[in-house]
Amino acid sequence: MTQEKLTQKAISLLKSLIETQSFSSEEEQTAALIEAWFIEFNIPFKRTKNNIWATNKYFTEGKPTLLLNSHHDTVKPNSAYTNDPFKAIVKDGKLYGLGSNDAGGCLVSLIATFTYFYNQENLKYNLVIVASAEEESSGPNGLNSMLPIIPHIDVAIVGEPTLMNLAVAEKGLVVFDAVVAGTPSHAAHPNENNSIYNAIEVLQWFKDFKFEKGSDALGDVKLTVTQINAGSQHNVVPAHLDLVVDVRVNDAYTNQEIASILAEKSPCSKITPRSLRLNSSSINLNHDLVKAGIAMGRKTYGSPTLSDQACLTCQSLKLGPGDSTRSHSADEFIYIAEIEEGIQIYIDLLNRVII
């Protein structure tokens, strides 16, 4: 099948995905749509829960393996939608619908690209594609669960909207639960150890604190207090105040190093990471994928947003059609032309690297 026909079929698949609910952990029906694509093209595939994966026809042991990955789950639509989020609407060159931009356009473009190369012999890389679940929730049954099942991966392209520029690094994430202690008492009596007042100094510390090491690709670590909770009734001074702290980690630190620094230096009585598994990720600027992308005129940058790259230990490149600023927005859309361009760039990029 020609590239042009593959592109049109990919756009048709995206319309079907939009019109099929696929909230995280509820992707059974979109998984079936992706299965139908592989069946139509006579490509053997496997399904592990709601993850669909396949390898190229001439997969050969001993070659390096390139993973093509994007996800088919979505967040729930926000209340500001004016269109039906489950209706694929094309208007003024835009394809509207929930998941169109994040990350349906990337997914169908990568599926079309994989299909384009599936039957080709003597590739320099083996290809593995995973259409994964539970990316939006960082759930236990997404790409992270597939890594022990699929062949060993040497490098990956993760499809997320980047305007087809090269996200050569991505910040990791650690969420902390922190406690500011105090002395509980009746509000009518003196109390010099009010946990809410104690939090003033603690919040100022978090506002002012800076991690020392920056990154050329990702800049500084970004620390943000995002939630505060204390007290149960008006006449009781609470024994403690709870904070949630969101830390976006650059590639100069491991998540464990971030946790150790905050445990040692923060003025909280207790600060505990929820998870240390969502690491920063990057690819060497001298990797053939990056050099080929730059030669094609694509820009490089560091991404502040999290993706399934966080669960990979190999080098990885985030690259896909669409614009990250549209993700999770009301009346989400992707330009049809972005999908057409995305497939073209993916194919041109791989032609330079794996042929």
Side-chain angles (χ1 to χ4, degrees):
M1 182 174 288
T2 66
Q3 181 179 325
E4 182 180 354
K5 288 183 178 179
L6 271 175
T7 300
Q8 293 309 308
K9 291 194 72 68
I11 294 168
S12 179
L13 173 60
L14 178 53
K15 292 175 181 177
S16 297
L17 292 171
I18 289 169
E19 297 190 344
T20 306
Q21 180 180 304
S22 57
F23 303 146
S24 294
S25 304
E26 302 175 16
E27 311 96 344
E28 294 87 354
Q29 295 181 67
T30 48
L33 291 173
I34 296 163
E35 285 181 316
W37 172 288
F38 289 119
I39 291 169
E40 179 180 351
F41 285 95
N42 297 312
I43 297 174
F45 66 90
K46 294 182 180 179
R47 176 170 177 167
T48 305
K49 296 191 175 176
N50 293 327
N51 302 281
I52 310 299
W53 67 280
T55 60
N56 63 302
K57 185 174 183 178
Y58 297 101
F59 188 100
T60 305
E61 294 295 333
K63 287 183 181 181
T65 298
L66 168 62
L67 170 67
L68 306 177
N69 164 252
S70 192
H71 62 94
H72 58 104
D73 64 314
T74 72
V75 297
K76 294 183 178 180
N78 64 57
S79 60
Y81 264 83
T82 62
N83 298 326
D84 181 346
F86 299 108
K87 183 70 173 176
I89 300 170
V90 177
K91 184 179 180 181
D92 299 328
K94 301 174 183 178
L95 173 55
Y96 289 90
L98 182 65
S100 56
N101 182 78
D102 184 15
C106 302
L107 177 64
V108 300
S109 297
L110 283 172
I111 289 173
T113 300
F114 174 83
T115 303
Y116 179 87
F117 286 101
Y118 172 75
N119 285 305
Q120 295 194 33
E121 299 185 59
N122 301 315
L123 299 178
K124 295 178 182 177
Y125 281 77
N126 295 316
L127 296 179
V128 177
I129 189 163
V130 179
S132 54
E134 296 191 4
E135 190 272 347
E136 295 291 3
S137 62
S138 299
N141 298 314
L143 180 62
N144 53 316
S145 71
M146 298 302 299
L147 298 179
I149 296 171
I150 63 177
H152 172 77
I153 302 302
D154 296 284
V155 66
I157 296 175
V158 176
E160 290 284 338
T162 69
L163 293 170
M164 291 310 291
N165 288 315
L166 311 172
V168 295
E170 174 187 276
K171 282 188 173 180
L173 170 65
V174 188
V175 178
F176 291 88
D177 292 298
V179 177
V180 180
T183 301
S185 69
H186 195 292
H189 299 306
N191 185 342
E192 296 300 320
N193 191 31
N194 184 318
S195 61
I196 295 177
Y197 294 158
N198 292 346
I200 297 172
E201 182 179 336
V202 173
L203 290 170
Q204 190 64 50
W205 185 90
F206 278 119
K207 182 179 179 182
D208 295 340
F209 182 74
K210 304 292 182 186
F211 290 91
E212 293 180 359
K213 293 187 287 187
S215 161
D216 290 340
L218 293 173
D220 295 330
V221 175
K222 188 174 188 301
L223 180 154
T224 309
V225 176
T226 55
Q227 291 177 261
I228 299 176
N229 186 57
S232 59
Q233 57 192 70
H234 77 90
N235 58 352
V236 177
V237 175
H240 61 86
L241 177 144
D242 298 320
L243 301 175
V244 175
V245 185
D246 179 296
V247 183
R248 304 290 166 150
V249 185
N250 65 21
D251 53 350
Y253 293 92
T254 67
N255 287 357
Q256 181 59 64
E257 287 173 330
I258 294 292
S260 297
I261 290 168
L262 290 183
E264 175 188 352
K265 295 188 175 183
S266 84
C268 298
S269 56
K270 184 178 181 182
I271 184 164
T272 307
R274 294 181 181 177
S275 169
L276 296 175
R277 68 182 181 87
L278 301 176
N279 296 289
S280 62
S281 53
S282 63
I283 187 170
N284 192 301
L285 295 180
N286 289 318
H287 194 283
D288 287 345
L289 283 171
V290 179
K291 291 195 293 185
I294 291 172
M296 293 166 59
R298 312 319 297 176
K299 298 177 182 178
T300 63
Y301 73 103
S303 173
T305 57
L306 199 69
S307 75
D308 267 338
Q309 279 184 284
C311 66
L312 297 172
T313 56
C314 64
Q315 294 191 76
S316 56
L317 174 68
K318 186 158 67 177
L319 174 68
D323 187 338
S324 179
T325 61
R326 300 182 209 134
S327 300
H328 306 178
S329 64
D331 297 334
E332 179 183 349
F333 70 89
I334 188 168
Y335 287 97
I336 296 290
E338 289 177 325
I339 300 169
E340 295 167 344
E341 179 192 48
I343 294 171
Q344 182 67 61
I345 290 174
Y346 278 144
I347 290 174
D348 288 349
L349 180 70
L350 294 192
N351 271 326
R352 292 168 181 252
V353 175
I354 70 174
I355 297 298

